[in-house]
Short mmCIF file of all heavy atoms in Angstrom, two decimals:
data_model
loop_
_atom_site.label_atom_id
_atom_site.label_comp_id
_atom_site.label_asym_id
_atom_site.label_seq_id
_atom_site.Cartn_x
_atom_site.Cartn_y
_atom_site.Cartn_z
N MET A 1 0.82 -1.19 0.00
CA MET A 1 0.00 0.00 0.00
C MET A 1 0.87 1.26 0.00
O MET A 1 0.55 2.23 -0.66
CB MET A 1 -0.93 -0.03 1.21
CG MET A 1 -1.74 1.22 1.38
SD MET A 1 -2.92 1.01 2.70
CE MET A 1 -4.22 1.95 2.03
N PHE A 2 1.95 1.25 0.77
CA PHE A 2 2.83 2.41 0.83
C PHE A 2 3.97 2.19 -0.17
O PHE A 2 4.31 1.07 -0.50
CB PHE A 2 3.42 2.58 2.24
CG PHE A 2 2.36 2.65 3.29
CD1 PHE A 2 2.21 1.64 4.21
CD2 PHE A 2 1.49 3.72 3.36
CE1 PHE A 2 1.24 1.69 5.18
CE2 PHE A 2 0.51 3.79 4.32
CZ PHE A 2 0.38 2.77 5.23
N ASP A 3 4.57 3.30 -0.63
CA ASP A 3 5.70 3.11 -1.52
C ASP A 3 6.89 2.56 -0.74
O ASP A 3 6.88 2.50 0.47
CB ASP A 3 6.05 4.41 -2.26
CG ASP A 3 6.01 5.66 -1.40
OD1 ASP A 3 6.26 5.57 -0.19
OD2 ASP A 3 5.72 6.71 -1.95
N LYS A 4 7.90 2.14 -1.48
CA LYS A 4 9.00 1.42 -0.83
C LYS A 4 9.88 2.30 0.06
O LYS A 4 10.69 1.79 0.80
CB LYS A 4 9.84 0.70 -1.88
CG LYS A 4 10.41 1.59 -2.95
CD LYS A 4 11.07 0.74 -4.02
CE LYS A 4 11.36 1.61 -5.22
NZ LYS A 4 11.81 0.83 -6.33
N TRP A 5 9.76 3.63 -0.03
CA TRP A 5 10.52 4.49 0.86
C TRP A 5 9.84 4.58 2.20
O TRP A 5 8.63 4.41 2.32
CB TRP A 5 10.64 5.89 0.24
CG TRP A 5 11.38 5.82 -1.06
CD1 TRP A 5 12.73 5.70 -1.24
CD2 TRP A 5 10.81 5.82 -2.36
NE1 TRP A 5 13.03 5.63 -2.57
CE2 TRP A 5 11.86 5.71 -3.29
CE3 TRP A 5 9.51 5.91 -2.85
CZ2 TRP A 5 11.66 5.68 -4.65
CZ3 TRP A 5 9.31 5.88 -4.21
CH2 TRP A 5 10.38 5.76 -5.09
N ARG A 6 10.61 4.87 3.19
CA ARG A 6 10.07 5.00 4.54
C ARG A 6 9.16 6.22 4.60
O ARG A 6 9.52 7.30 4.14
CB ARG A 6 11.19 5.12 5.56
CG ARG A 6 12.17 3.95 5.53
CD ARG A 6 11.52 2.61 5.67
NE ARG A 6 11.14 2.36 7.05
CZ ARG A 6 10.50 1.29 7.46
NH1 ARG A 6 10.16 0.37 6.62
NH2 ARG A 6 10.19 1.15 8.71
N VAL A 7 7.96 6.07 5.15
CA VAL A 7 6.95 7.11 5.16
C VAL A 7 6.84 7.71 6.56
O VAL A 7 6.89 7.00 7.56
CB VAL A 7 5.58 6.54 4.72
CG1 VAL A 7 4.52 7.61 4.71
CG2 VAL A 7 5.70 5.87 3.37
N LYS A 8 6.66 9.04 6.61
CA LYS A 8 6.45 9.74 7.88
C LYS A 8 5.14 10.51 7.77
O LYS A 8 4.81 11.06 6.73
CB LYS A 8 7.60 10.70 8.16
CG LYS A 8 8.92 10.00 8.38
CD LYS A 8 10.03 10.98 8.69
CE LYS A 8 11.33 10.21 8.89
NZ LYS A 8 12.43 11.07 9.27
N TYR A 9 4.41 10.54 8.89
CA TYR A 9 3.14 11.25 8.92
C TYR A 9 3.16 12.32 10.01
O TYR A 9 3.66 12.09 11.11
CB TYR A 9 1.98 10.27 9.20
CG TYR A 9 1.67 9.43 8.00
CD1 TYR A 9 2.28 8.20 7.82
CD2 TYR A 9 0.78 9.88 7.03
CE1 TYR A 9 2.01 7.43 6.70
CE2 TYR A 9 0.50 9.12 5.91
CZ TYR A 9 1.13 7.90 5.75
OH TYR A 9 0.86 7.15 4.64
N ALA A 10 2.60 13.47 9.66
CA ALA A 10 2.46 14.55 10.65
C ALA A 10 1.42 14.14 11.69
O ALA A 10 1.62 14.32 12.89
CB ALA A 10 2.06 15.85 9.97
N ILE A 11 0.29 13.61 11.22
CA ILE A 11 -0.78 13.19 12.13
C ILE A 11 -1.49 11.99 11.55
O ILE A 11 -1.66 11.88 10.33
CB ILE A 11 -1.76 14.34 12.44
CG1 ILE A 11 -2.76 13.93 13.52
CG2 ILE A 11 -2.46 14.82 11.18
CD1 ILE A 11 -3.51 15.10 14.15
N VAL A 12 -1.88 11.08 12.43
CA VAL A 12 -2.68 9.93 12.04
C VAL A 12 -3.90 9.88 12.97
O VAL A 12 -3.76 9.97 14.19
CB VAL A 12 -1.88 8.61 12.14
CG1 VAL A 12 -2.79 7.40 11.93
CG2 VAL A 12 -0.74 8.60 11.13
N PHE A 13 -5.07 9.77 12.35
CA PHE A 13 -6.32 9.64 13.09
C PHE A 13 -6.69 8.17 13.11
O PHE A 13 -6.72 7.51 12.06
CB PHE A 13 -7.44 10.44 12.41
CG PHE A 13 -7.17 11.91 12.35
CD1 PHE A 13 -6.52 12.47 11.26
CD2 PHE A 13 -7.56 12.74 13.39
CE1 PHE A 13 -6.25 13.83 11.20
CE2 PHE A 13 -7.29 14.10 13.35
CZ PHE A 13 -6.64 14.64 12.25
N MET A 14 -6.97 7.65 14.31
CA MET A 14 -7.33 6.25 14.45
C MET A 14 -8.61 6.14 15.27
O MET A 14 -8.71 6.72 16.35
CB MET A 14 -6.20 5.48 15.15
CG MET A 14 -4.86 5.61 14.43
SD MET A 14 -3.55 4.69 15.22
CE MET A 14 -3.63 3.23 14.22
N ASP A 15 -9.57 5.41 14.71
CA ASP A 15 -10.83 5.22 15.41
C ASP A 15 -11.50 3.96 14.87
O ASP A 15 -11.10 3.42 13.85
CB ASP A 15 -11.74 6.44 15.21
CG ASP A 15 -12.83 6.55 16.28
OD1 ASP A 15 -12.87 5.71 17.21
OD2 ASP A 15 -13.64 7.50 16.20
N ALA A 16 -12.52 3.51 15.57
CA ALA A 16 -13.28 2.34 15.14
C ALA A 16 -14.75 2.72 15.05
O ALA A 16 -15.25 3.51 15.84
CB ALA A 16 -13.09 1.18 16.11
N VAL A 17 -15.42 2.14 14.07
CA VAL A 17 -16.85 2.30 13.89
C VAL A 17 -17.46 0.93 14.16
O VAL A 17 -16.96 -0.09 13.66
CB VAL A 17 -17.19 2.77 12.46
CG1 VAL A 17 -18.68 2.95 12.29
CG2 VAL A 17 -16.45 4.05 12.12
N HIS A 18 -18.52 0.90 14.95
CA HIS A 18 -19.12 -0.37 15.36
C HIS A 18 -20.39 -0.66 14.58
O HIS A 18 -21.22 0.22 14.39
CB HIS A 18 -19.39 -0.35 16.87
CG HIS A 18 -18.16 -0.07 17.66
ND1 HIS A 18 -17.33 -1.06 18.10
CD2 HIS A 18 -17.59 1.09 18.05
CE1 HIS A 18 -16.31 -0.53 18.73
NE2 HIS A 18 -16.43 0.78 18.71
N PHE A 19 -20.54 -1.92 14.17
CA PHE A 19 -21.70 -2.36 13.39
C PHE A 19 -22.23 -3.66 13.97
O PHE A 19 -21.47 -4.48 14.49
CB PHE A 19 -21.31 -2.62 11.92
CG PHE A 19 -20.85 -1.41 11.19
CD1 PHE A 19 -19.50 -1.13 11.06
CD2 PHE A 19 -21.78 -0.54 10.61
CE1 PHE A 19 -19.07 -0.01 10.37
CE2 PHE A 19 -21.35 0.58 9.92
CZ PHE A 19 -20.00 0.85 9.81
N HIS A 20 -23.54 -3.85 13.84
CA HIS A 20 -24.14 -5.14 14.13
C HIS A 20 -24.30 -5.86 12.79
O HIS A 20 -24.89 -5.32 11.86
CB HIS A 20 -25.51 -4.98 14.82
CG HIS A 20 -25.39 -4.55 16.24
ND1 HIS A 20 -25.36 -3.23 16.62
CD2 HIS A 20 -25.26 -5.28 17.37
CE1 HIS A 20 -25.23 -3.15 17.93
NE2 HIS A 20 -25.17 -4.38 18.41
N VAL A 21 -23.73 -7.07 12.72
CA VAL A 21 -23.78 -7.85 11.48
C VAL A 21 -24.20 -9.28 11.82
O VAL A 21 -24.18 -9.70 12.97
CB VAL A 21 -22.42 -7.84 10.75
CG1 VAL A 21 -22.03 -6.46 10.31
CG2 VAL A 21 -21.33 -8.46 11.61
N ARG A 22 -24.56 -10.03 10.78
CA ARG A 22 -24.89 -11.44 10.96
C ARG A 22 -23.66 -12.29 10.66
O ARG A 22 -23.01 -12.12 9.64
CB ARG A 22 -26.02 -11.86 10.04
CG ARG A 22 -27.37 -11.39 10.49
CD ARG A 22 -28.45 -12.24 9.80
NE ARG A 22 -29.71 -12.25 10.47
CZ ARG A 22 -29.99 -12.78 11.65
NH1 ARG A 22 -29.04 -13.33 12.33
NH2 ARG A 22 -31.19 -12.76 12.16
N GLN A 23 -23.39 -13.20 11.58
CA GLN A 23 -22.28 -14.14 11.40
C GLN A 23 -22.79 -15.50 11.86
O GLN A 23 -23.21 -15.64 13.00
CB GLN A 23 -21.06 -13.71 12.21
CG GLN A 23 -19.87 -14.62 12.06
CD GLN A 23 -18.66 -14.07 12.80
OE1 GLN A 23 -18.43 -12.87 12.85
NE2 GLN A 23 -17.90 -14.96 13.39
N ASP A 24 -22.77 -16.48 10.97
CA ASP A 24 -23.32 -17.81 11.28
C ASP A 24 -24.76 -17.72 11.77
O ASP A 24 -25.13 -18.34 12.76
CB ASP A 24 -22.44 -18.53 12.31
CG ASP A 24 -21.01 -18.72 11.84
OD1 ASP A 24 -20.82 -18.96 10.62
OD2 ASP A 24 -20.09 -18.62 12.67
N ASN A 25 -25.55 -16.89 11.09
CA ASN A 25 -26.97 -16.67 11.42
C ASN A 25 -27.20 -16.09 12.81
O ASN A 25 -28.29 -16.21 13.36
CB ASN A 25 -27.79 -17.96 11.24
CG ASN A 25 -28.04 -18.25 9.78
OD1 ASN A 25 -28.13 -17.33 8.96
ND2 ASN A 25 -28.16 -19.52 9.45
N GLN A 26 -26.19 -15.47 13.37
CA GLN A 26 -26.31 -14.84 14.69
C GLN A 26 -25.90 -13.38 14.57
O GLN A 26 -24.91 -13.06 13.90
CB GLN A 26 -25.38 -15.53 15.72
CG GLN A 26 -25.71 -16.97 15.99
CD GLN A 26 -27.02 -17.13 16.72
OE1 GLN A 26 -27.38 -16.33 17.57
NE2 GLN A 26 -27.77 -18.18 16.38
N PRO A 27 -26.65 -12.48 15.23
CA PRO A 27 -26.20 -11.07 15.22
C PRO A 27 -24.99 -10.90 16.14
O PRO A 27 -24.99 -11.37 17.28
CB PRO A 27 -27.42 -10.30 15.75
CG PRO A 27 -28.21 -11.31 16.52
CD PRO A 27 -27.91 -12.66 15.94
N VAL A 28 -23.95 -10.28 15.60
CA VAL A 28 -22.74 -10.01 16.39
C VAL A 28 -22.30 -8.57 16.14
O VAL A 28 -22.65 -7.97 15.13
CB VAL A 28 -21.58 -10.98 16.03
CG1 VAL A 28 -21.91 -12.40 16.40
CG2 VAL A 28 -21.21 -10.87 14.57
N LYS A 29 -21.54 -8.06 17.07
CA LYS A 29 -21.02 -6.70 16.94
C LYS A 29 -19.59 -6.79 16.41
O LYS A 29 -18.77 -7.54 16.94
CB LYS A 29 -21.06 -6.00 18.30
CG LYS A 29 -20.85 -4.53 18.24
CD LYS A 29 -21.07 -3.92 19.63
CE LYS A 29 -20.90 -2.43 19.59
NZ LYS A 29 -21.11 -1.82 20.91
N LYS A 30 -19.32 -6.03 15.36
CA LYS A 30 -17.98 -5.98 14.78
C LYS A 30 -17.51 -4.53 14.76
O LYS A 30 -18.31 -3.61 14.65
CB LYS A 30 -17.97 -6.51 13.34
CG LYS A 30 -18.27 -7.98 13.21
CD LYS A 30 -17.06 -8.80 13.54
CE LYS A 30 -17.32 -10.27 13.25
NZ LYS A 30 -16.15 -11.08 13.49
N ALA A 31 -16.22 -4.36 14.83
CA ALA A 31 -15.62 -3.02 14.75
C ALA A 31 -14.82 -2.93 13.46
O ALA A 31 -14.09 -3.85 13.11
CB ALA A 31 -14.72 -2.77 15.95
N VAL A 32 -14.99 -1.81 12.76
CA VAL A 32 -14.15 -1.52 11.61
C VAL A 32 -13.14 -0.48 12.08
O VAL A 32 -13.50 0.64 12.43
CB VAL A 32 -14.97 -0.98 10.41
CG1 VAL A 32 -14.04 -0.62 9.26
CG2 VAL A 32 -16.01 -2.00 9.97
N TYR A 33 -11.89 -0.90 12.16
CA TYR A 33 -10.80 -0.05 12.61
C TYR A 33 -10.29 0.74 11.40
O TYR A 33 -10.02 0.15 10.36
CB TYR A 33 -9.66 -0.89 13.18
CG TYR A 33 -10.04 -1.67 14.42
CD1 TYR A 33 -10.81 -2.82 14.35
CD2 TYR A 33 -9.60 -1.25 15.66
CE1 TYR A 33 -11.14 -3.53 15.49
CE2 TYR A 33 -9.92 -1.96 16.81
CZ TYR A 33 -10.69 -3.10 16.71
OH TYR A 33 -11.03 -3.80 17.85
#
């Protein structure tokens, strides 16, 4: 995903969004990071 040179970031925002989804016919909560 990143180019082959070493990458530096001024700021990185990190968070998760939570969803209720079906897994094996059961409702479960998943997080998208």
Side-chain angles (χ1 to χ4, degrees):
M1 175 173 215
F2 306 112
D3 42 30
K4 57 187 168 188
W5 298 282
R6 303 306 284 177
V7 181
K8 295 181 180 183
Y9 286 91
I11 187 164
V12 172
F13 298 91
M14 303 181 96
D15 201 2
V17 181
H18 303 270
F19 296 97
H20 286 90
V21 297
R22 283 199 159 293
Q23 181 175 323
D24 300 324
N25 284 330
Q26 297 291 324
V28 295
K29 193 173 182 180
K30 293 281 186 177
V32 177
Y33 296 76

